[in-house]
Amino acid sequence: MSNESVQIYYPSDEIVKNAAVSGMDAYKALCAEAEADYEGYWAKRARELITWKQPFTQALDQSNAPFFKWFADGKLNASYNCLDRNVENGLGDKVAIIFEADSGEVTKVTYKEMLVKVCKMANLLKSKGVKKGDRVVIYLPMTIEGIVAMQACARIGATHSIVFGGFSAQSLRDRINDAGAVMLITSDGQFRGGKAIPLKPIADEAFAMGGCESVKDVIVFKRTGGDCAMTAGRDSWLHEGLANQADTCEPEWVDAEHPLFLLYTSGSTGKPKGVVHCTGGYLLHAMLTMKWTFDIKQSDTFWCTADIGWVTGHTYITYGPLACGVTEVVFEGVPTYPDAGRFWKMIQDHGVTVFYTAPTAIRSLIKASDSNPAVHPKSYNLSTLRILGSVGEPINPAAWEWYYQNVGGGRCPIVDTFWQTETGGHMITPLPGATPLVPGSCTLPFPGIQFAVVDETGSELPWGQGGILVCKKPWPSMIRTIWGDPERFVKSYYPADFQGKLYLAGDGAIRDANTGYFTITGRIDDVLNVSGHRMGTMEIESALVANPLVAEAAVVGRPDDLTGEAIVAFVVLKGARPADADAAKKIAKELADWVGKEIGPIAKPKDIRFGDNLPKTRSGKIMRRLLRGLAKGEELTQDTSTLENPAILEQLKNSI
């Protein structure tokens, strides 16, 4: 690609002038400060941004690497830092959350009101015997109650683990079981796109599977009024439990390394990994990225469209915005209901200034506005916007350009943020008042974060050569371990190939030969990124093989215009291969629905192909590289002489 074809967008003078990090020199000065005194750099920010009950004396403890500790002897409380402190600083009457329900109904909650809600919920949890260090699983829709439940756990020192409301009974059961949760907070149902979808019945199904015996109490939020069975002695209604609770609750002061939450993420092997995040370092990065990446001001109305079931909803809904004392929009529904102008109408109605969403959402809205001018962003007044953000997966240049021109009116910088469940917050991202933007590139590391692109041995590669993305130093908001499996943590993130010294992000990347900007090239392991959500291929394969019809399955990804990556499954049935297209379609639908039930709708394969067997080497290893080529519809030019059964490739070419 010639240099002329790369369009660079520079921040306007006005944005530079008012930005928290103003101009590239300011960015470089922060990076140099971190380079010169790494621990001192992070300690300074932690003292500036967080209110400590007991100040820390040591920033980083590396004595048991890679199990790093940050600010370990400091004590704090995350809920205090998000709520009480803002009330004490005179922001009690400021709106904390503008909640817009699926139906369009709007509820506003001030910081003072939020604090009362959280204290009452915290007291309810305590009355049920939940104490510091206990795990509470939360399986709730995108409502204020979800945020309140998370904050209430943080307030009493309990560790929360959110399970996304779109996950199946099996996924919920596995997470309750792994976390050893003492309580489940759920809802009768949720509203999505005008429909009421049950949740409590799914939770009951999870309990019926066995393995959830650690749970003593189930608290049920009445959201939809749908039918749900209540088990005597275990289940109780949230509104009844809150009725008599006191509206104050002293925060539990915890060590900075106290686990704030567990969040399960797909790995390349079947079992989801319980990523552990600790209070002090995590909260610091949530606040610092709010201030620098989103250039957040007290006058802003911030809207992150994620769900609290994902890490983005933790950092940029539940903790970051509230800790910075800003007003945020929280949305229950979907971007296309009642029509595809919903996002733009909400930005207009609520005067949103900073908007943060995923490329999949942008691409689906491009499609919708192409066919219906009424829902095109240009039909709405989006003049309040000043910064746009993108999250979850790399954004393709065409979607970036559309977003920049049509939503941001060519005046709003786009912060294309690269980070992961494991990193806690942004790792590589432009800063709106400093970084010249290149569509499709997440540009440069956040100040203080030190990334590199290396080869298989961990040696740094020259700019312009693609390789493996690693982080060279520990950082405050990093994953601490995998819950109950420290060995897997070391193996997954600090592998022996790199002498246990580099954090392995699991993504490939390339740095531009001239600018040093990073572009993420995709996963290097068997993990797919579908609509910004990570799905382990092994997890989907295990679900397929659990179906009585299936003998063997292999799952790969192929590029998809809408979702970034689509799931393609190659299946060998126990019986004969379907004789015609109709029979194949019928079985494919059955299997896709089965995966949806086992894991959740997001994991359904888009394309299922049947073969008498799978392409294997003579030693029995499935040749996934060939399957990836088949999924993409490429002509196979690789040597297939090592295949035990080359004829199989013809069968698997055909998509039904």
Side-chain angles (χ1 to χ4, degrees), residues 37 70 115 201 283 295 315 352 359 384 426 432 489-490 547 653:
D37 176 9
W70 284 91
L115 178 58
L283 194 63
D295 190 40
T315 310
V352 172
T384 53
H426 305 151
F489 164 74
V490 175
N547 184 293
K653 260 186 192 168

Side-chain angles (χ1 to χ4, degrees), residues 430-490:
L431 302 185
T435 320
L437 304 172
V438 170
S441 167
C442 48
T443 69
L444 294 168
F446 188 82
I449 303 290
Q450 303 192 351
F451 263 116
V453 177
V454 300
D455 63 14
E456 280 76 6
T457 65
S459 306
E460 213 159 319
L461 290 166
W463 289 5
Q465 274 189 34
I468 300 164
L469 187 64
V470 295
C471 195
K472 295 195 282 190
K473 285 186 176 175
W475 66 100
S477 63
M478 67 187 295
I479 174 176
R480 294 305 195 262
T481 186
I482 290 170
W483 182 257
D485 202 343
E487 275 174 43
R488 190 176 179 196
F489 164 74
V490 175

